[in-house]
Amino acid sequence: MSNNNFDGDLEKFIKSLFASKNKKDKNVVDIKDAKVIKEKNKKPFDGRKFAKSAIVLTALFAVIVIILANIYIVKENEYRVVRQFGEVVKYENEPGINFKVPFIQSVTTLPKNLMTYDMTEEEINTLDKKRIIIDNYAVWRVTDPKALISNAGNLVNAESRMEEYIYSVIRTELGQLNYDDIINDENSSRGSINDKVTERVNELLTDGNFGIEVVDVRIRRTDLPEENEQSVYTRMISERESIAQKYLSEGDAEKNRIEAQTDRKVQELIATAKKEAALIRAEGESEAAKIYNREFSKDPEFYSLYRTLESYKKTIDDDTMIILPSDSPYAKILSGYLE
């Protein structure tokens, strides 16, 4: 069974085909007409209004850029110096946000904290005509940025002027001292030299109004020129050996003096002891004699016997031959006859 609406009728099919084509053409015509009407109703482009908006936005953007470009921030460890046509008009040292006049003012940054400046080595002459090389450094800071910019121009010029003053003062101070006084650690006057140099340099910087202050100047190292080192070392060794020999001689002299004093004290002590011993011995013998006399007086016969026996100690030894008569006291005693 056929599924179309024409049921084999060719005429109906052709009519319907052309009717569909005419409908499509009509729709296309309607769309074209709508576009034409819309284009007729559209307003013409206004170029002046667009240019005005662009100018306003550009001006606003330029104002923002100018404002941001002329804002400067002051930090805690720095100065911000404002200059107008090259002249310093003010400087800021308190932290915060500030604004400068556009186009005619500029801002320069200077450090506020302490700075260390290592100076180049210089050769100077001492009072005893010795040449030495001095190496030192300085600790300094900016105290008046306006004076620094006005009289020195920048930090490099300020450091150069400071270095010139420092070496001038050091040359003057060390030129009044002998070489040995400078290098001798036991009698060094560097501490006072450093203080004098610092004080004098600050006076010169103040007179010149450079807006900086030297906090401390320190001599880090003193060296000899290479051509003078060996001769000076040889002389120093000779001097040290002479000083050592002097100390040794003084030590030997002190030793001999102490030994002599000790020997004299020993002899005095021995003599005093002997004297005291003799006195004590004499007193003892005197007391013993008194005791002997008192006891022997009680029995004269015993005393006679005691004296006889004591004489035997001195007259008889192992090699003694005694020939005695039978009635002598010795013979009687030796034979045991006591009556």
Side-chain angles (χ1 to χ4, degrees):
M1 184 174 180
S2 179
N3 293 329
N4 55 36
N5 295 326
F6 304 106
D7 295 330
D9 191 345
L10 181 60
E11 185 177 355
K12 289 182 178 180
F13 174 74
I14 293 173
K15 288 181 178 181
S16 63
L17 181 61
F18 281 101
S20 175
K21 182 178 179 181
N22 292 332
K23 187 176 180 180
K24 290 181 178 179
D25 293 338
K26 186 177 180 181
N27 290 337
V28 172
V29 173
D30 291 341
I31 292 172
K32 291 181 177 180
D33 292 340
K35 289 183 177 180
V36 172
I37 295 171
K38 186 175 180 181
E39 289 178 356
K40 289 181 177 181
N41 293 331
K42 188 176 179 181
K43 294 181 179 181
F45 174 74
D46 190 356
R48 290 180 297 175
K49 184 176 182 181
F50 177 78
K52 184 177 181 180
S53 300
I55 291 172
V56 171
L57 292 176
T58 303
L60 181 61
F61 178 76
V63 170
I64 294 173
V65 171
I66 291 173
I67 292 174
L68 294 177
N70 290 277
I71 290 176
Y72 62 94
I73 299 174
V74 181
K75 299 180 181 179
E76 292 183 356
N77 61 342
E78 66 182 13
Y79 296 104
R80 301 303 293 269
V81 182
V82 179
R83 291 194 280 187
Q84 182 171 316
F85 302 115
E87 296 293 332
V88 178
V89 294
K90 65 176 181 178
Y91 68 88
E92 302 289 344
N93 59 358
E94 295 297 331
I97 299 176
N98 297 274
F99 184 78
K100 67 180 180 66
V101 178
F103 307 113
I104 64 174
Q105 289 185 344
S106 60
V107 178
T108 303
T109 303
L110 293 176
K112 191 176 181 180
N113 52 304
L114 293 176
M115 294 170 286
T116 302
Y117 182 68
D118 290 325
M119 286 172 278
T120 56
E121 296 180 351
E122 291 288 340
E123 185 176 302
I124 66 172
N125 294 322
T126 61
L127 182 62
D128 51 353
K129 307 304 180 184
K130 296 291 191 306
R131 290 188 303 154
I132 60 174
I133 298 175
I134 296 297
D135 180 19
N136 56 0
Y137 68 94
V139 179
W140 67 289
R141 63 187 172 192
V142 178
T143 57
D144 189 348
K146 184 175 181 180
L148 187 147
I149 297 296
S150 300
N151 297 302
N154 52 46
L155 288 178
V156 176
N157 294 337
E159 288 176 338
S160 299
R161 187 56 59 90
M162 177 183 65
E163 181 178 13
E164 178 183 344
Y165 287 156
I166 289 174
Y167 274 120
S168 175
V169 176
I170 288 179
R171 187 178 295 108
T172 301
E173 293 294 334
L174 296 186
Q176 300 174 5
L177 298 174
N178 291 323
Y179 176 74
D180 293 339
D181 295 333
I182 297 174
I183 66 172
N184 188 1
D185 293 335
E186 297 179 357
N187 189 25
S188 178
S189 57
R190 287 188 185 179
S192 60
I193 290 177
N194 293 330
D195 296 338
K196 290 179 181 178
V197 171
T198 301
E199 181 180 356
R200 180 56 183 157
V201 169
N202 281 325
E203 291 177 358
L204 295 174
L205 292 173
T206 301
D207 294 340
N209 193 24
F210 290 105
I212 61 176
E213 176 189 12
V214 176
V215 178
D216 193 16
V217 175
R218 291 289 162 181
I219 298 176
R220 181 163 44 198
R221 184 167 54 93
T222 56
D223 285 336
L224 289 168
E226 294 182 359
E227 60 272 17
N228 295 345
E229 283 185 356
Q230 190 58 45
S231 62
V232 172
Y233 288 158
T234 302
R235 182 174 62 83
M236 290 176 64
I237 291 172
S238 177
E239 291 177 353
R240 295 302 182 271
E241 289 178 350
S242 176
I243 294 173
Q245 187 61 42
K246 178 183 177 182
Y247 288 157
L248 290 174
S249 300
E250 292 177 353
D252 290 339
E254 185 68 13
K255 171 189 172 183
N256 294 333
R257 185 181 65 80
I258 293 173
E259 287 180 349
Q261 290 180 351
T262 303
D263 292 340
R264 185 175 67 252
K265 288 182 180 180
V266 169
Q267 294 298 326
E268 290 176 355
L269 291 174
I270 292 174
T272 302
K274 287 181 177 180
K275 179 180 178 181
E276 292 178 355
L279 292 175
I280 294 172
R281 189 180 298 111
E283 292 177 356
E285 291 178 352
S286 176
E287 186 67 22
K290 291 179 181 179
I291 294 173
Y292 287 149
N293 292 333
R294 185 175 64 249
E295 297 299 328
F296 288 149
S297 63
K298 294 179 181 180
D299 190 351
E301 294 181 358
F302 174 76
Y303 176 70
S304 177
L305 175 63
Y306 174 78
R307 295 294 294 175
T308 302
L309 294 176
E310 286 294 321
S311 66
Y312 289 168
K313 292 180 180 180
K314 297 179 179 181
T315 59
I316 300 174
D317 56 19
D318 295 337
D319 298 328
T320 302
M321 180 179 292
I322 302 174
I323 300 174
L324 298 173
S326 60
D327 59 347
S328 68
Y330 280 172
K332 292 180 179 181
I333 293 174
L334 291 175
S335 62
Y337 178 74
L338 300 177
E339 293 183 358

